[in-house]
Structure formats: structure tokens, C-alpha cells
Amino acid sequence: MARITDIRPCGRMIHAKTKTVMDINYNQKLFSIWVYAAGQESGVEPSRLSIQLDRDMAKRLRNALDAFIGETP
């Protein structure tokens, strides 16, 4: 599991081809996200994409999500 130390915007194209699931959990210090392999909607095989965020990184992610949610489609 990788601990995120920076969150930065980029201009990469976004392509969604398959569906999967994400598990979350948190404690006093870290927010953890486990992402499963593409196509694993039942959550069988964790991918190497799983991450942990401290409070500062979680706030930065929240701000990015708020901007995304606030945009008109």
C-alpha cells in the first residue's frame, strides 16, 4: 500500500472501460483506499493501486472532489 505524499492535477485523457469496487477505512491518522483489479466488481483481487492518505492529503483530495462535483456536466 502506498502512502500518498502529493496530489497534482494533470491533463491525461480519462478512459473508463471496466467497472470495479473500492473499499475504504480510516483511523485517527490515515484514510485507506483499496481498489480492486478492473472487472472485479465483487472485490476479489486487490490491485497495487491501494493508497493511504494523511489528513493533509485527504483535504487536498476533498477539494479536488468538491471541484469535480460542483462542475456542470
Side-chain angles (χ1 to χ4, degrees):
M1 181 167 297
R3 185 164 174 185
I4 301 299
T5 59
D6 193 15
I7 296 175
R8 58 186 186 200
C10 72
R12 293 183 190 167
M13 295 296 295
I14 299 173
H15 301 283
K17 296 180 182 178
T18 57
K19 295 179 181 179
T20 191
V21 296
M22 177 174 74
D23 292 338
I24 63 167
N25 198 1
Y26 58 92
N27 61 24
Q28 293 294 325
K29 294 186 177 187
L30 296 170
F31 186 93
S32 296
I33 299 172
W34 291 268
V35 178
Y36 290 84
Q40 296 289 322
E41 289 186 85
S42 59
V44 176
E45 182 183 332
S47 77
R48 296 181 183 188
L49 194 60
S50 299
I51 61 171
Q52 290 180 323
L53 304 163
D54 63 17
R55 288 188 183 275
D56 289 335
M57 289 298 108
K59 288 176 186 176
R60 289 174 67 180
L61 178 60
R62 180 190 61 201
N63 291 341
L65 288 170
D66 285 343
F68 168 69
I69 292 167
E71 288 183 5
T72 337

